[in-house]
Amino acid sequence: MLRQFFARGFACAALLAGLAACSTIETTQPGVVGVDRRQTVSPLVDRSKLTQQASLQYRQVIGEAQKKGQLNVDKSQTERVRRISARLIPAVASFRPEAVSWKWETNVITSKEVNAWCMPGGKIAVYSGLIEQLKATDDELAAVMGHEIAHALREHAWERASQAANAQVGLTIAAIALGMSGTQQDLTGMAYNAMFALPNSREHETEADRIGVELAARAGYNPHAAVSLWEKMGKLDGKAPPQWLSTHPSQQTRVRDLTVYAEKVMPLYEKAKRR
């Protein structure tokens, strides 16, 4: 029993040391919207390897779309999306100057899926379903793309990976210290997910919303289009899960926040229109 106690203590100490080595960073400047939360990342997650993995995944997705004849099929859609991204990209300098020189790419994938994303390093994909099903205007597309670009600028993927790695370490510590069964560990993991992981994801979504409206405004797109976009999304999604069980803010919370921050960056939009 004593030997088992010391073995558990040693394992816990080693794992705790890994958690203690976490560092705080600031990936972006606050901008006019004031996104200045200090971010926590873990030494358990190699940033460069994460970026390499994202690049590999991007190539796989794009390659698969090309094989299926789904890549940049509609020339007018592709030109439209690339024109919008070309205006958004220079605006990232207000949050992260070096990001302007990332190797940006923008593609349109033919799919009924209402989706868009921007991987670390500036690899953007917009799905045709988003354009067609929402009947998205240029301003609304700028809101979507600005939001996704914001995730890449803030390196939310790195943060989420760090949170997941630390959570796993924390749960392992608890399991070792308490001698928990597999079922008990599963329940503990579910509790962690509900209390910590999902709220953190909502925080990332809110940051991306706020940075996204500023990027759109600086690029000369009406930031209030973010509100009309998410109102359309709400009608499309149907019944959404309760906010506390969602990785996204509730529709009402999101629209209310976007309305406030879109108004905050209107002077940037007015200035961009005069150029």
Side-chain angles (χ1 to χ4, degrees):
M1 179 65 74
L2 188 62
R3 182 182 299 174
Q4 186 179 37
F5 173 80
F6 280 116
R8 287 179 182 174
F10 179 78
C12 288
L15 291 170
L16 282 169
L19 283 176
C22 289
S23 58
T24 58
I25 59 166
E26 191 66 70
T27 55
T28 62
Q29 298 170 1
V32 169
V33 290
V35 175
D36 57 1
R37 175 182 61 87
R38 295 293 296 178
Q39 300 165 269
T40 302
V41 292
S42 171
L44 300 173
V45 179
D46 189 310
R47 183 187 194 182
S48 61
K49 287 183 179 178
L50 188 68
T51 301
Q52 290 172 7
Q53 186 179 26
S55 180
L56 177 61
Q57 186 179 5
Y58 170 76
R59 292 298 168 200
Q60 289 174 339
V61 171
I62 293 301
E64 190 65 26
Q66 194 164 30
K67 285 180 184 177
K68 294 179 178 179
Q70 298 173 338
L71 185 66
N72 302 322
V73 176
D74 187 317
K75 184 179 179 181
S76 63
Q77 278 187 354
T78 304
E79 289 178 350
R80 181 185 176 202
V81 169
R82 286 178 173 172
R83 183 172 64 249
I84 294 168
S85 69
R87 286 172 58 176
L88 287 169
I89 290 167
V92 305
S94 60
F95 289 96
R96 190 167 177 173
E98 80 276 11
V100 177
S101 61
W102 284 355
K103 294 180 180 179
W104 294 87
E105 290 184 32
T106 306
N107 291 287
V108 176
I109 297 175
T110 299
S111 169
K112 292 181 180 179
E113 189 175 350
V114 179
N115 195 20
W117 40 261
C118 179
M119 286 192 178
K123 303 298 188 285
I124 303 169
V126 176
Y127 290 65
S128 60
L130 185 148
I131 300 169
E132 295 162 0
Q133 292 189 49
L134 297 182
K135 295 181 173 55
T137 65
D138 282 6
D139 291 318
E140 289 170 343
L141 281 175
V144 175
M145 294 166 69
H147 173 97
E148 298 304 329
I149 287 170
H151 280 307
L153 294 177
R154 287 289 283 174
E155 300 203 50
H156 285 152
W158 187 19
E159 264 196 294
R160 287 196 304 274
S162 294
Q163 290 163 358
N166 288 342
Q168 187 58 51
V169 170
L171 293 175
T172 302
I173 291 171
I176 292 171
L178 302 175
M180 295 166 68
S181 67
T183 301
Q184 288 173 318
Q185 289 183 52
D186 289 342
L187 290 172
T188 304
M190 289 170 63
Y192 170 85
N193 194 46
M195 290 186 290
F196 300 105
L198 294 181
N200 285 336
S201 294
R202 287 197 294 270
E203 187 170 45
H204 291 170
E205 290 299 316
T206 298
E207 287 182 350
D209 278 350
R210 294 175 182 179
I211 290 174
V213 295
E214 181 167 338
L215 291 176
R218 288 182 179 276
Y221 293 104
N222 190 334
H224 281 289
V227 176
S228 62
L229 170 80
W230 290 110
E231 286 174 340
K232 287 181 180 180
M233 289 286 283
K235 293 175 183 177
L236 194 67
D237 287 343
K239 188 175 181 181
Q243 178 168 338
W244 65 276
L245 281 179
S246 171
T247 57
H248 291 64
S250 71
Q251 188 70 12
Q252 296 85 351
T253 300
R254 182 166 233 159
V255 167
R256 186 167 56 247
D257 192 73
L258 282 168
T259 300
V260 170
Y261 281 85
E263 190 60 33
K264 191 172 183 177
V265 299
M266 278 301 287
L268 298 175
Y269 170 56
E270 297 294 343
K271 181 179 179 181
K273 284 202 305 180
R274 290 195 296 270
R275 286 202 296 263

